[in-house]
mmCIF file of all heavy atoms in Angstrom:
data_model
loop_
_atom_site.group_PDB
_atom_site.id
_atom_site.type_symbol
_atom_site.label_atom_id
_atom_site.label_comp_id
_atom_site.label_asym_id
_atom_site.label_seq_id
_atom_site.Cartn_x
_atom_site.Cartn_y
_atom_site.Cartn_z
ATOM 1 N N ALA O 1 201.071 152.649 77.101
ATOM 2 C CA ALA O 1 201.158 154.079 77.388
ATOM 3 C C ALA O 1 202.155 154.737 76.373
ATOM 4 O O ALA O 1 203.157 154.260 76.192
ATOM 5 C CB ALA O 1 201.586 154.437 78.810
ATOM 6 N N VAL O 2 201.615 155.845 75.803
ATOM 7 C CA VAL O 2 202.474 156.641 74.948
ATOM 8 C C VAL O 2 202.893 157.944 75.636
ATOM 9 O O VAL O 2 203.833 158.588 75.317
ATOM 10 C CB VAL O 2 201.787 157.063 73.607
ATOM 11 C CG1 VAL O 2 201.638 155.791 72.729
ATOM 12 C CG2 VAL O 2 200.456 157.699 73.834
ATOM 13 N N ARG O 3 202.127 158.258 76.755
ATOM 14 C CA ARG O 3 202.507 159.358 77.689
ATOM 15 C C ARG O 3 202.204 158.887 79.021
ATOM 16 O O ARG O 3 201.150 158.161 79.299
ATOM 17 C CB ARG O 3 201.651 160.630 77.334
ATOM 18 C CG ARG O 3 202.044 161.302 76.054
ATOM 19 C CD ARG O 3 201.350 162.690 75.912
ATOM 20 N NE ARG O 3 199.967 162.588 76.183
ATOM 21 C CZ ARG O 3 199.018 162.303 75.271
ATOM 22 N NH1 ARG O 3 199.329 161.917 74.114
ATOM 23 N NH2 ARG O 3 197.736 162.350 75.603
ATOM 24 N N ALA O 4 202.975 159.190 79.996
ATOM 25 C CA ALA O 4 202.782 158.668 81.371
ATOM 26 C C ALA O 4 203.462 159.607 82.315
ATOM 27 O O ALA O 4 204.300 160.356 82.009
ATOM 28 C CB ALA O 4 203.303 157.250 81.510
ATOM 29 N N MET O 5 203.037 159.438 83.580
ATOM 30 C CA MET O 5 203.747 160.205 84.703
ATOM 31 C C MET O 5 203.712 159.314 85.931
ATOM 32 O O MET O 5 202.868 158.481 86.240
ATOM 33 C CB MET O 5 202.987 161.514 85.035
ATOM 34 C CG MET O 5 201.624 161.391 85.497
ATOM 35 S SD MET O 5 200.869 162.932 85.822
ATOM 36 C CE MET O 5 201.227 163.167 87.612
ATOM 37 N N ALA O 6 204.809 159.487 86.722
ATOM 38 C CA ALA O 6 204.921 158.768 87.986
ATOM 39 C C ALA O 6 204.049 159.452 89.011
ATOM 40 O O ALA O 6 203.817 160.660 88.958
ATOM 41 C CB ALA O 6 206.339 158.745 88.489
ATOM 42 N N LEU O 7 203.450 158.691 89.918
ATOM 43 C CA LEU O 7 202.697 159.149 91.021
ATOM 44 C C LEU O 7 203.469 159.039 92.363
ATOM 45 O O LEU O 7 204.741 158.777 92.300
ATOM 46 C CB LEU O 7 201.349 158.435 91.127
ATOM 47 C CG LEU O 7 200.452 158.528 89.899
ATOM 48 C CD1 LEU O 7 199.222 157.673 90.077
ATOM 49 C CD2 LEU O 7 200.037 160.013 89.613
ATOM 50 N N ASP O 8 202.902 159.143 93.455
ATOM 51 C CA ASP O 8 203.578 159.106 94.765
ATOM 52 C C ASP O 8 204.187 157.650 94.994
ATOM 53 O O ASP O 8 203.573 156.727 94.585
ATOM 54 C CB ASP O 8 202.549 159.356 95.881
ATOM 55 C CG ASP O 8 203.245 159.885 97.066
ATOM 56 O OD1 ASP O 8 204.081 159.157 97.730
ATOM 57 O OD2 ASP O 8 202.883 161.004 97.532
ATOM 58 N N ILE O 9 205.306 157.668 95.586
ATOM 59 C CA ILE O 9 205.933 156.343 95.914
ATOM 60 C C ILE O 9 205.333 155.643 97.227
ATOM 61 O O ILE O 9 205.683 154.519 97.465
ATOM 62 C CB ILE O 9 207.410 156.451 96.030
ATOM 63 C CG1 ILE O 9 207.808 157.376 97.188
ATOM 64 C CG2 ILE O 9 208.041 156.921 94.784
ATOM 65 C CD1 ILE O 9 209.350 157.333 97.539
ATOM 66 N N ASN O 10 204.588 156.395 97.966
ATOM 67 C CA ASN O 10 203.840 155.836 99.125
ATOM 68 C C ASN O 10 202.602 155.257 98.645
ATOM 69 O O ASN O 10 201.674 155.956 98.200
ATOM 70 C CB ASN O 10 203.638 156.944 100.175
ATOM 71 C CG ASN O 10 204.936 157.600 100.594
ATOM 72 O OD1 ASN O 10 205.819 156.835 101.094
ATOM 73 N ND2 ASN O 10 205.053 158.916 100.431
ATOM 74 N N PHE O 11 202.475 153.951 98.869
ATOM 75 C CA PHE O 11 201.197 153.260 98.350
ATOM 76 C C PHE O 11 199.934 153.715 99.052
ATOM 77 O O PHE O 11 198.853 153.458 98.560
ATOM 78 C CB PHE O 11 201.391 151.773 98.535
ATOM 79 C CG PHE O 11 202.034 151.064 97.313
ATOM 80 C CD1 PHE O 11 202.576 151.834 96.281
ATOM 81 C CD2 PHE O 11 202.080 149.769 97.233
ATOM 82 C CE1 PHE O 11 203.201 151.238 95.170
ATOM 83 C CE2 PHE O 11 202.659 149.125 96.140
ATOM 84 C CZ PHE O 11 203.187 149.863 95.142
ATOM 85 N N SER O 12 200.028 154.399 100.181
ATOM 86 C CA SER O 12 198.802 154.861 100.815
ATOM 87 C C SER O 12 198.328 156.153 100.203
ATOM 88 O O SER O 12 197.241 156.661 100.497
ATOM 89 C CB SER O 12 199.054 155.130 102.355
ATOM 90 O OG SER O 12 200.047 156.154 102.521
ATOM 91 N N ARG O 13 199.061 156.819 99.311
ATOM 92 C CA ARG O 13 198.642 158.030 98.702
ATOM 93 C C ARG O 13 197.960 157.946 97.419
ATOM 94 O O ARG O 13 196.903 158.493 97.236
ATOM 95 C CB ARG O 13 199.882 158.950 98.551
ATOM 96 C CG ARG O 13 200.475 159.371 99.843
ATOM 97 C CD ARG O 13 199.546 160.268 100.566
ATOM 98 N NE ARG O 13 200.081 160.607 101.862
ATOM 99 C CZ ARG O 13 199.345 161.030 102.901
ATOM 100 N NH1 ARG O 13 198.094 161.239 102.745
ATOM 101 N NH2 ARG O 13 199.960 161.392 103.975
ATOM 102 N N PRO O 14 198.545 157.235 96.405
ATOM 103 C CA PRO O 14 197.848 157.235 95.075
ATOM 104 C C PRO O 14 196.532 156.352 95.179
ATOM 105 O O PRO O 14 196.550 155.309 95.778
ATOM 106 C CB PRO O 14 198.850 156.633 94.143
ATOM 107 C CG PRO O 14 200.023 156.195 94.926
ATOM 108 C CD PRO O 14 199.851 156.575 96.330
ATOM 109 N N ILE O 15 195.540 156.861 94.526
ATOM 110 C CA ILE O 15 194.301 156.102 94.351
ATOM 111 C C ILE O 15 193.934 156.122 92.897
ATOM 112 O O ILE O 15 193.973 157.248 92.312
ATOM 113 C CB ILE O 15 193.164 156.720 95.190
ATOM 114 C CG1 ILE O 15 193.469 156.550 96.644
ATOM 115 C CG2 ILE O 15 191.876 156.006 94.821
ATOM 116 C CD1 ILE O 15 192.325 157.222 97.511
ATOM 117 N N PHE O 16 193.660 155.009 92.334
ATOM 118 C CA PHE O 16 193.214 154.990 90.943
ATOM 119 C C PHE O 16 191.780 154.589 91.008
ATOM 120 O O PHE O 16 191.443 153.465 91.376
ATOM 121 C CB PHE O 16 194.014 153.954 90.107
ATOM 122 C CG PHE O 16 193.534 154.000 88.671
ATOM 123 C CD1 PHE O 16 193.900 155.005 87.806
ATOM 124 C CD2 PHE O 16 192.796 152.975 88.157
ATOM 125 C CE1 PHE O 16 193.511 155.050 86.472
ATOM 126 C CE2 PHE O 16 192.240 152.975 86.932
ATOM 127 C CZ PHE O 16 192.656 153.984 86.051
ATOM 128 N N GLY O 17 190.912 155.457 90.588
ATOM 129 C CA GLY O 17 189.448 155.143 90.640
ATOM 130 C C GLY O 17 188.830 155.720 89.352
ATOM 131 O O GLY O 17 189.438 156.562 88.668
ATOM 132 N N THR O 18 187.671 155.307 89.066
ATOM 133 C CA THR O 18 186.914 155.720 87.849
ATOM 134 C C THR O 18 185.585 156.228 88.295
ATOM 135 O O THR O 18 185.044 155.842 89.343
ATOM 136 C CB THR O 18 186.831 154.646 86.798
ATOM 137 O OG1 THR O 18 186.092 153.546 87.374
ATOM 138 C CG2 THR O 18 188.191 154.182 86.386
ATOM 139 N N TYR O 19 185.062 157.152 87.458
ATOM 140 C CA TYR O 19 183.695 157.618 87.692
ATOM 141 C C TYR O 19 183.031 157.524 86.333
ATOM 142 O O TYR O 19 183.434 158.224 85.375
ATOM 143 C CB TYR O 19 183.699 159.038 88.198
ATOM 144 C CG TYR O 19 182.329 159.474 88.610
ATOM 145 C CD1 TYR O 19 181.733 159.068 89.867
ATOM 146 C CD2 TYR O 19 181.594 160.283 87.786
ATOM 147 C CE1 TYR O 19 180.499 159.560 90.150
ATOM 148 C CE2 TYR O 19 180.299 160.749 88.112
ATOM 149 C CZ TYR O 19 179.742 160.337 89.256
ATOM 150 O OH TYR O 19 178.539 160.802 89.619
ATOM 151 N N ALA O 20 181.979 156.725 86.225
ATOM 152 C CA ALA O 20 181.283 156.598 84.972
ATOM 153 C C ALA O 20 179.808 156.222 85.253
ATOM 154 O O ALA O 20 179.552 155.498 86.239
ATOM 155 C CB ALA O 20 181.919 155.570 84.130
ATOM 156 N N ASP O 21 178.951 156.701 84.496
ATOM 157 C CA ASP O 21 177.502 156.441 84.572
ATOM 158 C C ASP O 21 177.032 156.708 86.025
ATOM 159 O O ASP O 21 176.191 155.958 86.556
ATOM 160 C CB ASP O 21 177.224 154.965 84.251
ATOM 161 C CG ASP O 21 177.647 154.583 82.797
ATOM 162 O OD1 ASP O 21 177.434 155.509 81.924
ATOM 163 O OD2 ASP O 21 178.119 153.534 82.600
ATOM 164 N N GLY O 22 177.561 157.754 86.563
ATOM 165 C CA GLY O 22 177.058 158.138 87.911
ATOM 166 C C GLY O 22 177.550 157.353 89.063
ATOM 167 O O GLY O 22 177.102 157.431 90.161
ATOM 168 N N ARG O 23 178.518 156.419 88.815
ATOM 169 C CA ARG O 23 179.082 155.540 89.826
ATOM 170 C C ARG O 23 180.562 155.698 89.993
ATOM 171 O O ARG O 23 181.310 155.778 89.039
ATOM 172 C CB ARG O 23 178.745 154.061 89.533
ATOM 173 C CG ARG O 23 177.221 153.823 89.673
ATOM 174 C CD ARG O 23 176.965 152.391 89.276
ATOM 175 N NE ARG O 23 177.441 152.225 87.872
ATOM 176 C CZ ARG O 23 177.136 151.229 87.102
ATOM 177 N NH1 ARG O 23 176.432 150.244 87.553
ATOM 178 N NH2 ARG O 23 177.551 151.209 85.869
ATOM 179 N N TRP O 24 180.978 155.633 91.204
ATOM 180 C CA TRP O 24 182.403 155.655 91.542
ATOM 181 C C TRP O 24 182.963 154.254 91.664
ATOM 182 O O TRP O 24 182.342 153.337 92.294
ATOM 183 C CB TRP O 24 182.586 156.408 92.880
ATOM 184 C CG TRP O 24 183.936 156.213 93.563
ATOM 185 C CD1 TRP O 24 184.213 155.401 94.645
ATOM 186 C CD2 TRP O 24 185.197 156.853 93.248
ATOM 187 N NE1 TRP O 24 185.545 155.506 94.899
ATOM 188 C CE2 TRP O 24 186.161 156.417 94.106
ATOM 189 C CE3 TRP O 24 185.568 157.772 92.182
ATOM 190 C CZ2 TRP O 24 187.446 156.778 94.021
ATOM 191 C CZ3 TRP O 24 186.891 158.156 92.178
ATOM 192 C CH2 TRP O 24 187.795 157.651 93.076
ATOM 193 N N SER O 25 184.053 153.966 91.005
ATOM 194 C CA SER O 25 184.658 152.670 91.125
ATOM 195 C C SER O 25 186.099 152.779 91.522
ATOM 196 O O SER O 25 186.835 153.535 90.900
ATOM 197 C CB SER O 25 184.631 151.989 89.718
ATOM 198 O OG SER O 25 185.466 150.822 89.758
ATOM 199 N N GLN O 26 186.470 152.180 92.654
ATOM 200 C CA GLN O 26 187.809 152.227 93.092
ATOM 201 C C GLN O 26 188.334 150.769 93.212
ATOM 202 O O GLN O 26 188.057 150.051 94.177
ATOM 203 C CB GLN O 26 187.820 152.888 94.471
ATOM 204 C CG GLN O 26 189.251 153.153 95.013
ATOM 205 C CD GLN O 26 189.137 153.875 96.341
ATOM 206 O OE1 GLN O 26 188.227 154.513 96.682
ATOM 207 N NE2 GLN O 26 190.165 153.693 97.101
ATOM 208 N N PRO O 27 189.165 150.377 92.211
ATOM 209 C CA PRO O 27 189.645 148.987 92.182
ATOM 210 C C PRO O 27 190.428 148.570 93.399
ATOM 211 O O PRO O 27 190.429 147.402 93.671
ATOM 212 C CB PRO O 27 190.504 148.945 90.897
ATOM 213 C CG PRO O 27 190.153 150.164 90.203
ATOM 214 C CD PRO O 27 189.622 151.213 91.071
ATOM 215 N N ALA O 28 191.069 149.480 94.080
ATOM 216 C CA ALA O 28 191.875 149.106 95.235
ATOM 217 C C ALA O 28 191.366 149.838 96.469
ATOM 218 O O ALA O 28 191.971 150.822 96.834
ATOM 219 C CB ALA O 28 193.345 149.410 94.940
ATOM 220 N N PRO O 29 190.270 149.332 97.080
ATOM 221 C CA PRO O 29 189.630 150.128 98.133
ATOM 222 C C PRO O 29 190.518 150.259 99.369
ATOM 223 O O PRO O 29 190.279 151.104 100.260
ATOM 224 C CB PRO O 29 188.362 149.350 98.468
ATOM 225 C CG PRO O 29 188.653 147.933 97.943
ATOM 226 C CD PRO O 29 189.564 148.123 96.759
ATOM 227 N N TRP O 30 191.541 149.393 99.594
ATOM 228 C CA TRP O 30 192.372 149.514 100.753
ATOM 229 C C TRP O 30 193.244 150.768 100.750
ATOM 230 O O TRP O 30 193.896 151.049 101.717
ATOM 231 C CB TRP O 30 193.169 148.240 100.914
ATOM 232 C CG TRP O 30 194.086 147.998 99.766
ATOM 233 C CD1 TRP O 30 195.389 148.485 99.611
ATOM 234 C CD2 TRP O 30 193.834 147.283 98.564
ATOM 235 N NE1 TRP O 30 195.917 148.088 98.432
ATOM 236 C CE2 TRP O 30 195.036 147.415 97.809
ATOM 237 C CE3 TRP O 30 192.776 146.540 98.103
ATOM 238 C CZ2 TRP O 30 195.126 146.726 96.596
ATOM 239 C CZ3 TRP O 30 192.857 145.945 96.893
ATOM 240 C CH2 TRP O 30 194.005 146.020 96.086
ATOM 241 N N LEU O 31 193.223 151.470 99.635
ATOM 242 C CA LEU O 31 194.096 152.650 99.541
ATOM 243 C C LEU O 31 193.512 153.909 100.091
ATOM 244 O O LEU O 31 194.146 154.953 100.040
ATOM 245 C CB LEU O 31 194.505 152.897 98.083
ATOM 246 C CG LEU O 31 195.399 151.767 97.494
ATOM 247 C CD1 LEU O 31 195.731 152.113 96.034
ATOM 248 C CD2 LEU O 31 196.649 151.518 98.254
ATOM 249 N N GLY O 32 192.330 153.834 100.546
ATOM 250 C CA GLY O 32 191.720 154.994 101.174
ATOM 251 C C GLY O 32 190.346 155.354 100.661
ATOM 252 O O GLY O 32 189.987 154.949 99.513
ATOM 253 N N PRO O 33 189.526 155.957 101.416
ATOM 254 C CA PRO O 33 188.183 156.330 100.999
ATOM 255 C C PRO O 33 188.102 157.475 99.974
ATOM 256 O O PRO O 33 188.919 158.304 99.975
ATOM 257 C CB PRO O 33 187.489 156.704 102.301
ATOM 258 C CG PRO O 33 188.643 157.287 103.168
ATOM 259 C CD PRO O 33 189.769 156.512 102.749
ATOM 260 N N ALA O 34 187.105 157.451 99.202
ATOM 261 C CA ALA O 34 186.883 158.519 98.112
ATOM 262 C C ALA O 34 186.606 159.874 98.789
ATOM 263 O O ALA O 34 186.833 160.862 98.192
ATOM 264 C CB ALA O 34 185.660 158.128 97.245
ATOM 265 N N VAL O 35 186.198 159.914 100.069
ATOM 266 C CA VAL O 35 185.859 161.135 100.677
ATOM 267 C C VAL O 35 187.123 162.044 100.809
ATOM 268 O O VAL O 35 186.984 163.306 100.883
ATOM 269 C CB VAL O 35 185.270 160.903 102.082
ATOM 270 C CG1 VAL O 35 186.314 160.393 103.077
ATOM 271 C CG2 VAL O 35 184.670 162.208 102.665
ATOM 272 N N ARG O 36 188.296 161.602 100.673
ATOM 273 C CA ARG O 36 189.474 162.384 100.745
ATOM 274 C C ARG O 36 189.500 163.367 99.572
ATOM 275 O O ARG O 36 190.219 164.355 99.593
ATOM 276 C CB ARG O 36 190.747 161.500 100.807
ATOM 277 C CG ARG O 36 191.086 160.868 99.571
ATOM 278 C CD ARG O 36 192.251 159.909 99.751
ATOM 279 N NE ARG O 36 193.471 160.311 99.254
ATOM 280 C CZ ARG O 36 194.576 159.562 99.160
ATOM 281 N NH1 ARG O 36 194.485 158.307 99.550
ATOM 282 N NH2 ARG O 36 195.630 159.999 98.708
ATOM 283 N N PHE O 37 188.723 163.182 98.508
ATOM 284 C CA PHE O 37 188.699 164.070 97.396
ATOM 285 C C PHE O 37 187.763 165.248 97.702
ATOM 286 O O PHE O 37 187.846 166.277 96.962
ATOM 287 C CB PHE O 37 188.225 163.421 96.102
ATOM 288 C CG PHE O 37 189.109 162.342 95.669
ATOM 289 C CD1 PHE O 37 188.619 161.020 95.586
ATOM 290 C CD2 PHE O 37 190.398 162.523 95.408
ATOM 291 C CE1 PHE O 37 189.454 159.977 95.155
ATOM 292 C CE2 PHE O 37 191.293 161.518 95.015
ATOM 293 C CZ PHE O 37 190.798 160.175 94.911
ATOM 294 N N THR O 38 186.908 165.153 98.645
ATOM 295 C CA THR O 38 185.964 166.194 98.928
ATOM 296 C C THR O 38 186.229 166.963 100.219
ATOM 297 O O THR O 38 185.537 167.894 100.656
ATOM 298 C CB THR O 38 184.514 165.712 98.983
ATOM 299 O OG1 THR O 38 184.387 164.659 99.904
ATOM 300 C CG2 THR O 38 184.136 165.186 97.604
ATOM 301 N N SER O 39 187.298 166.500 100.954
ATOM 302 C CA SER O 39 187.667 167.103 102.231
ATOM 303 C C SER O 39 188.962 167.745 102.069
ATOM 304 O O SER O 39 189.758 167.464 101.154
ATOM 305 C CB SER O 39 187.776 166.048 103.340
ATOM 306 O OG SER O 39 188.644 165.114 103.037
ATOM 307 N N GLY O 40 189.386 168.675 102.952
ATOM 308 C CA GLY O 40 190.621 169.350 102.938
ATOM 309 C C GLY O 40 191.838 168.356 102.985
ATOM 310 O O GLY O 40 191.760 167.379 103.747
#
């Protein structure tokens, strides 16, 4: 990394996922469902 930022310190909050070729990929599924991005 040449530029970076810290995320939340609570492991239940940050989710690192990717979206490519019309598919959602979430390497760490135990961190929460993707639906949290489309709900309040």
